[in-house]
Amino acid sequence: MTHSLVEHVEDLLGGPRPLPIAIAGDPVLRRRSAPYDGNLPSGLLNELIIAMRLTMLSAPGVGLAAPQIGLGLQLAVIEDTAAISSELAAARRRVPVPFRVLINPSDEPVGTEVAAFYEGCLSVPGYQAVAERAEAVRLRGWDADGEPFDEVVVGWPARIVAHETDHLAGRLYLDSALSRSLSSNENYLARWGGATPKAARVALGF
Ligand code: NI
C-alpha cells in the first residue's frame, strides 16, 4: 500500500461531515477488512469513532462499519435508540442498544432459532429486504479502550451485530436476503412496516 492506515484516516477526517458513505458496487464493501492491531494513535482512533458515530446518526442508521466509509478495517459502531411502538419492539425483540464500538468483532449463532425481518443498509439506499438471521449470537471483540468482551446478544441487537460483522467480511445483507421480499423504502413504509413480514410474505411470494 502506498497509503498508510494513519494517512488514510487523516485524509478521511480532513474531509466533510458526515463522512461520505460507500454505496454497493464499490469494491471496498466486498473485501474482508484487516484486523485492527492498535496501529492508530488513540487520539486519531477516537476522532475516527466520533466521526463514524456522527455519520451513522445523521444518516440515520443503527450501525456503521468502517468499509462503509472506505476504510477496510475491522471496526464498527452501533447505536439503536429509535422510538418505536411497543408492538414492534415486542415482535422484533428490539431493545435499545446504547452506543458501542466493535473492534475485531466476531459472532456465531447461539442455538438454532432464526428470525426473519426487514432490514436495510446505508450502502444499499432506498430499499429493504427480509433477511433471516440467528435470534441470538455470541459476540466477541474489543471496545475502544482495548477491553475484550464476550457476550450473548439476543433479538434485534443480534441482527445489528451480525449485519455489521457481515460488512467486515465483505458481505452485504442482500447476499443472504430473500430477494422476492425486496421493497422500496416507500413501499416498505406504506405496506410492510408491521410487526412481522407475514403479510409481505404472502403478497410478494417469498
Ligand atoms: Ni449495512
Side-chain angles (χ1 to χ4, degrees):
M1 268 209 305
T2 55
H3 212 58
S4 78
L5 175 63
V6 169
E7 285 170 335
H8 190 162
V9 172
E10 284 174 343
D11 281 355
L12 271 173
L13 296 176
R17 302 288 187 281
L19 303 166
I21 293 178
I23 302 300
D26 187 328
V28 73
L29 294 170
R30 291 315 197 167
R31 292 185 206 118
R32 175 173 287 279
S33 290
Y36 178 68
D37 60 4
N39 37 3
L40 286 178
S42 65
L44 198 60
L45 177 64
N46 285 335
E47 209 187 320
L48 174 62
I49 288 166
I50 288 167
M52 287 178 68
R53 184 186 187 200
L54 182 147
T55 302
M56 167 180 70
L57 295 178
S58 63
V62 296
L64 186 73
Q68 294 183 276
I69 54 164
L71 189 63
L73 192 66
Q74 300 254 340
L75 165 67
V77 294
I78 62 175
E79 180 171 0
D80 181 16
T81 53
I84 58 169
S85 73
S86 54
E87 185 203 2
L88 244 59
R92 299 177 183 182
R93 300 178 81 179
R94 187 169 177 173
V95 295
V97 178
F99 175 71
R100 68 183 293 184
V101 176
L102 310 177
I103 292 175
N104 299 335
S106 65
D107 65 336
E108 55 189 279
V110 174
T112 55
E113 199 184 338
V114 169
F117 289 108
Y118 269 98
E119 65 180 77
C121 178
L122 299 177
S123 294
V124 188
Y127 290 92
Q128 308 218 15
V130 172
E132 291 177 336
R133 294 194 183 273
E135 178 64 21
V137 297
R138 180 179 178 185
L139 171 67
R140 281 178 278 194
W142 286 263
D143 69 15
D145 298 320
E147 291 297 321
F149 53 79
D150 180 349
E151 62 196 79
V152 173
V153 182
V154 175
W156 199 263
R159 175 170 300 269
I160 296 173
V161 161
H163 182 116
E164 300 313 321
T165 57
D166 272 357
H167 274 302
L168 300 180
R171 291 190 294 265
L172 294 175
Y173 84 100
L174 284 178
D175 299 348
S176 52
L178 304 174
S179 53
R180 289 189 64 109
S181 70
L182 188 69
S183 184
S184 70
N185 283 343
E186 293 75 16
N187 277 330
Y188 170 76
L189 288 170
R191 302 164 185 268
W192 313 128
T196 75
K198 205 171 160 186
R201 200 179 272 278
V202 172
L204 301 179
F206 60 88

